[in-house]
Each structure stands twice: as C-alpha cells, then as structure tokens.
Amino acid sequence: MNRRQLARWAGVASLVLAQGVSGLALAADEAPDAMITRLSSEVLDAIKADKSIQAGDVSKIITLVDTKIMPNVNFQRMTASAVGPAWRQATDAQKQKLQDEFKVLLVRTYSGALAQVSDQEISVRPLRGADDKEVVVRSEVRGRGDPVQLDYRLEKTPGQGAGWKIYNLNVMGIWLVETYRSQFAQEINAKGIDGLIAALAQRNKSNDKKSG
C-alpha cells in the first residue's frame, strides 16, 4: 500500500468519527473502545447510505466535520503537536489560522477516502487500562484485501464536554501528527509560522481547484 493509499485510509479514520455525538453525557460515561466501536459502525453506515459523500462532495464533508467530528477531537492539541515547538511562540491569531487551515487541509486531502467505503467493517480490540487519562484504542478495517491497522490516541477531558477526545491516529504504523510535523518543520525553518500558514493556505487553494 503506497503513501497515497495510506492517506486515503487516514481519511476514513478521520471521518469514522462523524456520527452519534448528540449526547455528550453518553460520551462522558463511555469507555474509549466502546465509543470508537459505536461511532465507527454509525459512520460507516451513514457513508454507505449517502451517495454524495461517497462521490467526494467537499462542502457536505466539511459540514459533517464541523458538526460531528470536531466534538470528538482535541483539534488544538492535534494542531499544536503537528506544528511542534514553534506553537508556543505563535500568537493567538496565528494559532487560530493554523487550526483553520490544517482542518481544511485534512478534510480536502482525505475526502477521496469516502469514495472507497463499500463493504468495510471495523473491528475494535478490547481495551485494558481504560481508567488512564490517555489510551490507545487499536482496531482493524476489514474488507476487500488485507486488513488495515487503525489506532487512535485519546485523552480523557474534564469539565464541560467531558469525555474521551482523539488527538492522533495511526494508519498501518504511521502516526498522522508525526507525519505532518516533519513537513511543517521544513516550512517553519525556512519561513517561520506565517510561512507555514501561507503554505497551508496555498495547498488548500490547489486542492480546491482540483476538486472544483
């Protein structure tokens, strides 16, 4: 499986969290492996039933991400980890721009994964040590061809909106955040935080033209 295929499977992982989050109280009480199991099956069913999502309708996917996925993700932590040490020097405005552009990049890059969903099923392994504040939930995507390893890093968040939040995912041994960190570091070293923001914005515009 090449890197492009891995990216598409990472897209499935990202969008596998897109349903069933209307009850935050339920999410707060749920074990992390139970949450991944429930959301995975609900999302796969929703994707299989929606032809426009399967066709890569970007506007619909973005709406799906904003309303369903983001409540399950600590996206600030994900972005900060991808940016690396330079995040601490960024202004609040720069941090917000980084999060906005990174989210669009992920959605547009991985939207093609949805067209590949057909007969896949998710098998989630039972979790040990769920009382910890951070856990790894391991799973496999099974369908045509070899099973695809799909792991999630989650943290338990307190207070309002309490529950398990995803902050990284692993597709066949490749962690998403670490992959982007190496790419972002090159931009930051060359042109700083504003250079990274500009590069992300340009990449998003290019992806937008390709999908248009």
Side-chain angles (χ1 to χ4, degrees), residues 50-53 56-67 107 114:
D50 194 320
K51 298 297 184 185
S52 60
I53 289 181
D57 185 330
V58 174
S59 62
K60 194 163 187 177
I61 293 167
I62 290 175
T63 300
L64 190 66
V65 170
D66 286 337
T67 59
V107 172
L114 299 182

Side-chain angles (χ1 to χ4, degrees), residues 34-197:
M35 184 188 83
I36 294 296
T37 300
R38 176 176 60 84
L39 298 181
S40 296
S41 54
E42 288 177 354
V43 170
L44 288 178
D45 288 345
I47 293 171
K48 292 172 187 177
D50 194 320
K51 298 297 184 185
S52 60
I53 289 181
Q54 292 175 30
D57 185 330
V58 174
S59 62
K60 194 163 187 177
I61 293 167
I62 290 175
T63 300
L64 190 66
V65 170
D66 286 337
T67 59
K68 299 295 185 180
I69 295 177
M70 287 303 153
N72 296 285
V73 178
N74 183 341
F75 198 68
Q76 179 173 317
R77 176 171 178 176
M78 182 178 285
T79 308
S81 296
V83 172
W87 177 263
R88 293 192 293 271
Q89 279 73 53
T91 65
D92 289 344
Q94 288 173 324
K95 289 177 179 178
Q96 188 59 54
K97 288 180 180 178
L98 284 167
Q99 290 184 73
D100 292 343
E101 296 293 349
F102 189 33
K103 183 179 76 172
V104 173
L105 174 65
L106 291 176
V107 172
R108 292 193 180 278
T109 299
Y110 299 147
S111 60
L114 299 182
Q116 313 236 342
V117 173
S118 55
D119 60 349
Q120 285 82 2
E121 295 181 353
I122 305 288
S123 174
V124 179
R125 299 179 189 175
L127 182 69
R128 296 178 180 178
D131 291 335
D132 296 338
K133 292 183 178 179
E134 297 196 5
V135 299
V136 176
V137 174
R138 303 187 186 280
S139 71
E140 284 185 340
V141 180
R142 296 173 180 172
R144 297 174 186 173
D146 296 331
V148 176
Q149 174 193 343
L150 193 59
D151 302 335
Y152 303 84
R153 287 195 186 280
L154 300 95
E155 64 174 356
K156 195 167 190 178
T157 57
Q160 186 175 5
W164 290 97
K165 307 290 185 184
I166 295 163
Y167 65 90
N168 203 350
L169 55 91
N170 179 333
V171 183
M172 295 183 68
I174 299 175
W175 287 100
L176 179 146
V177 166
E178 282 72 13
T179 298
Y180 278 108
R181 184 184 297 153
S182 62
Q183 297 177 22
F184 291 177
Q186 295 177 13
E187 293 289 346
I188 293 170
N189 290 337
K191 299 179 181 179
I193 288 290
D194 286 332
L196 173 59
I197 293 170

